[in-house]
Amino acid sequence: MSTPAGEPGIAARARWAVSDSRVLTERYLLQLVRVPTVLFFSLIQPVMFVLLFRYVFGGAIHIPGVGYAEYMLPGAIAQTAAFASFGTAIGLAYDLGRGLIDRVRSMPAARFAVLVGRLTSDTLRSLAVVIVLLGVGYAVGFRFDNGPGPALLMVLVAVVFGLAICTIAAFVGLALKDPEAVQSFGLVWLFPLTFVSGAFVPVQTMPGWLQAVARPNPVTLVVSTMRSLAYGGPIATHLWESLAWVVAILAVFGPLAVRAYRRAS
Amino acid sequence: MSTPPAAIAVEGLVKTFGSTRALDGVDLEVPPGSVLGLLGPNGSGKTTLVRVLTTLSLPDAGRARVLGHDVVAEPSAVRRRIGLAGQFSAVDDHLTGFENLDMAGRLCHLDRATAARRAQELLERFGLAEAAHRVAKGYSGGMRRRLDLAASLVARPEVLFLDEPTTGLDPRSRLDLWSVIRDLVRDGTTLLLTTQYLEEADQLGDVIVVLDRGQVIARGSAPALKGQVGGDVVTARLVDPADAERALAALGPIGVATPQYDEEEREVRVPVGSAGPGALLEAVRRLDQDEVALADIALRRPSLDDVFLALTGHVASDESTDAGKSRRRRRARARAKAQP
Ligand SMILES: Nc1ncnc2c1ncn2[C@@H]1O[C@H](COP(=O)(O)OP(=O)(O)OP(=O)(O)O)[C@@H](O)[C@H]1O
Ligand SMILES: [Mg+2]
C-alpha cells in the first residue's frame, strides 16, 4: 500500500480554513447583493420601526432626563441585530435543503467554513444596518454625548450581541431544517425576547412578574450598556453583564450549532 | 505493490435509520477506471450508499474504502480525491454559473487563478459558456444539472459519484449528459452512478449492481442481467381484465419464462428472450385466435420493473417505508420553496 499525498500540516490547514471561510463569506455577501429586494426590506423594516416608535409611541412615553429618540434608538438597534438572525437560520436551512452543505462537506474545504462564512457575512450585514439606523437616528434627534470612543464601542456591543443571537439561529436552522418552520419559530422567540425587555420602555413600568423576566433579559442588559455608552450611565457593570451573556450564549450554542452542522443531512 | 487497490471497496456495509435498514450488508468492488451502475427503485438505499462513500454519513457496520482510504478513519483523504453530484442539483441560484464553479474550485483548494481557469474551461466543455455570467436561477433543469456535474469535477477527481444524474431531464438533455459522462470515463475517471433506469445503467455501466431494500440482489454485465430477466418483453394490455387467465395461457408457450399479469396496468408481460418481432407476431396471432381483446400490444426492452419481477418475484415497491415518504415529501417541499 502506498500513501499518496499525506495530510497537510497544521499551518496549511489553518491557512485553508481561513481561505475557505472567506470564500463562503464572499458567497453569502454576493447572495445579498444579488437579491437587493431582501437587502432593501431588511433595511426598511428597522427604519420603519425607528420612525414608528419615535413618532407614534414617542409622544406617550416620557423618560426622565432623556428624549425618547435617544432612549429608543439603542433598543431599535439591538432588536435589529437580533432580527438579522432570521437570515442566518433560514439561509442555512435553505442550503441544507438544496444540498449545498453536502456539496461543501464532500469537498476538502474546512469543516465549519459554512458556519463561519454565514456568521461572518451576517455580522457584516448587521454592521451595515446599524450604521444606517444611526443615520436615521441622528435625523430624528439621537445624539452621541460621550464622544467617538464609547460610540464605537456601542456599535461593537450591538454587533457582537447580534452575532450571539445569530449563533442560536444557526443551531435552530440546522436543527429544524425546514425554512418555513425556521421562520415561524423565529417569530415565536424573537418577539418576546426583544419586547419583554427595556428596549423601548423602562422595565419599571411593567407588572412585577414581567419585570422578573425583563430584567435579566440579555436584550435589557445589552441595551442598557448601549445607552450608557451613548449618553451616560454606569458603563462597567452593564458591559460586564452583557459580555457574560454573550460569552454564555456563544459557549452553549456554538458547539450545538457545530454538532447540528455535522449531523444535518 | 502487486494489484492496485480497488477504487471503491465495500464490505458488509450496514446503515440503519430507526427500524429501516437502508443498507443491509452491501458488498461491492469497483476496479479503477471502470463504471458501476447502481440500479434500484425508490428507497432501495442508493443515496444512502453514496452518502457513506462520500463521507457525508457514517455507517453502522462494515467497511468502505475509496482509493484505499477508509471513509470513516480518513475522510479528508477521501474528500481530496472524489467528486460528488448529489441527487438534487446543489447549485446556488443567486450566483452565476462562473461564480458557482469558481467558488467550488477554491473550496477544493485550487489557487485563485487555477480555479478561475478551470471554471471557464468547464463552462465551455458543458455548453454553458454563453450563460456563464448569468445567475443560475434562470437556468433550465438541464443546464442546472450540467453545472452541478461541472462543480463536482473542478478538482479533477479520480473517483466520481453521480446520484441519479439524469432524473427529471428531457430525453435530449439526458443524451447530452450521457455523452459528457462517457468522455469522463474515457479520460480514466472511476465512476459510480446510481439510476432507476436499466437503460441508463446499460448505456454507461461496465457492471450493474441491483439494489433492493438495502441488499445487492444481482450483479453483472447488462447482457447477463437481461438474460436473467429473459431479454425482450412482449406486453399486451387487455380491454377486459376478465381475459387475463386466457391471455396468460395463450402466451405461455412463446415465453422463455412464465408470463405475469399486472392488475393495475391490465397488462400481461412475457419475456421472449431474443425472439424479437417474430415473438410479437406470434403473440398477436395467438391472442387473436383466443379472442382476447387488446388495448395495446408491444415488444419492448426490459425495464427495471421487469428486472425486479424476475429477480425478486415482487414488483418494485415505490416506497418501502412511511419514514421514507415523509422524508421525501419534506425534501420536495424544501426544494419547491427554494424555487422562486
Ligand atoms: N436521513 C434519513 N432518515 C430516515 N430515513 C432515511 C434517511 N435517509 C434514508 N432513509 C431511508 O432509507 C431508505 C433508503 O433511502 P435512500 O434515500 O438511500 O434510497 P434511494 O435508493 O436513494 O431512493 P430514491 O431513488 O428515492 O432516491 C429509505 O427507506 C429511506 O426512507
Ligand atoms: Mg436517492
Side-chain angles (χ1 to χ4, degrees), chain A residues 247-262:
Chain A
V247 169
I249 291 173
L250 290 175
V252 172
F253 286 93
L256 280 177
V258 166
R259 207 178 65 144
Y261 176 79
R262 215 183 280 156

Side-chain angles (χ1 to χ4, degrees), chain A residues 198-220:
Chain A
F200 300 105
V201 295
V203 172
Q204 306 84 277
T205 60
M206 298 177 190
W209 59 272
L210 202 56
Q211 284 190 30
V213 182
R215 271 186 207 287
N217 182 341
V219 176
T220 305

Side-chain angles (χ1 to χ4, degrees), chain A residues 8 11 21 23 49 62-63 66 81 98 121 155 165 185 187 213 232 247:
Chain A
S21 304
V23 172
F49 255 67
H62 292 284
I63 313 292
V66 57
R98 294 305 304 266
S121 72
V155 171
I165 301 294
F185 186 74
L187 292 174
V213 182
V247 169

Side-chain angles (χ1 to χ4, degrees), chain A residues 1 4 7-8 16 20 22 26-27 31 34 94 98-100 102-103 105 107 109 178 180 265, chain B residues 1 51 56 79-81 84 90 92-94 99 103 106-107 109 112 144 148 151 333 337-338:
Chain A
M1 292 293 275
E7 292 287 318
W16 282 123
D20 295 337
R22 243 189 65 188
E26 227 176 274
R27 179 192 146 201
Q31 284 186 350
R34 290 290 152 74
Y94 169 97
R98 294 305 304 266
L100 288 159
D102 276 353
R103 155 133 298 149
R105 282 197 300 198
M107 289 175 165
D178 182 294
E180 217 164 83
S265 63
Chain B
M1 312 296 115
R51 290 180 58 85
L56 296 176
R79 285 182 205 130
R80 276 200 296 274
R81 299 173 72 184
L84 163 68
D92 190 326
D93 279 335
H94 302 312
E99 285 161 350
M103 287 197 178
R106 285 158 66 195
L107 290 174
H109 298 171
R112 263 172 177 275
R144 192 179 277 277
D148 189 47
R333 243 191 302 134
K337 225 168 293 154

Side-chain angles (χ1 to χ4, degrees), chain B residues 47 87 163-164:
Chain B
T47 298
Q87 187 164 359
D163 195 359
E164 299 194 23

Side-chain angles (χ1 to χ4, degrees), chain B residues 123-202:
Chain B
L123 286 162
E124 271 154 34
R125 177 161 174 199
F126 283 67
L128 294 167
E130 303 256 292
H133 298 288
R134 281 199 342 243
V135 173
K137 198 173 206 154
Y139 282 21
S140 70
M143 291 165 79
R144 192 179 277 277
R145 210 60 183 123
R146 273 177 285 156
L147 183 61
D148 189 47
L149 183 57
S152 68
L153 295 175
V154 282
R156 302 179 194 279
E158 292 158 75
V159 180
L160 183 63
F161 296 88
L162 303 178
D163 195 359
E164 299 194 23
T166 67
T167 299
L169 294 187
D170 61 37
R172 220 211 100 131
S173 312
R174 170 167 303 162
L175 289 180
D176 285 351
L177 208 62
W178 282 1
S179 89
V180 169
I181 292 172
R182 283 202 193 93
D183 287 346
L184 285 173
V185 174
R186 202 169 309 134
D187 296 345
T189 310
T190 305
L191 173 63
L192 187 150
L193 159 118
T194 80
T195 179
Q196 299 191 32
Y197 309 109
L198 180 59
E199 195 200 350
E200 184 160 288
D202 182 1

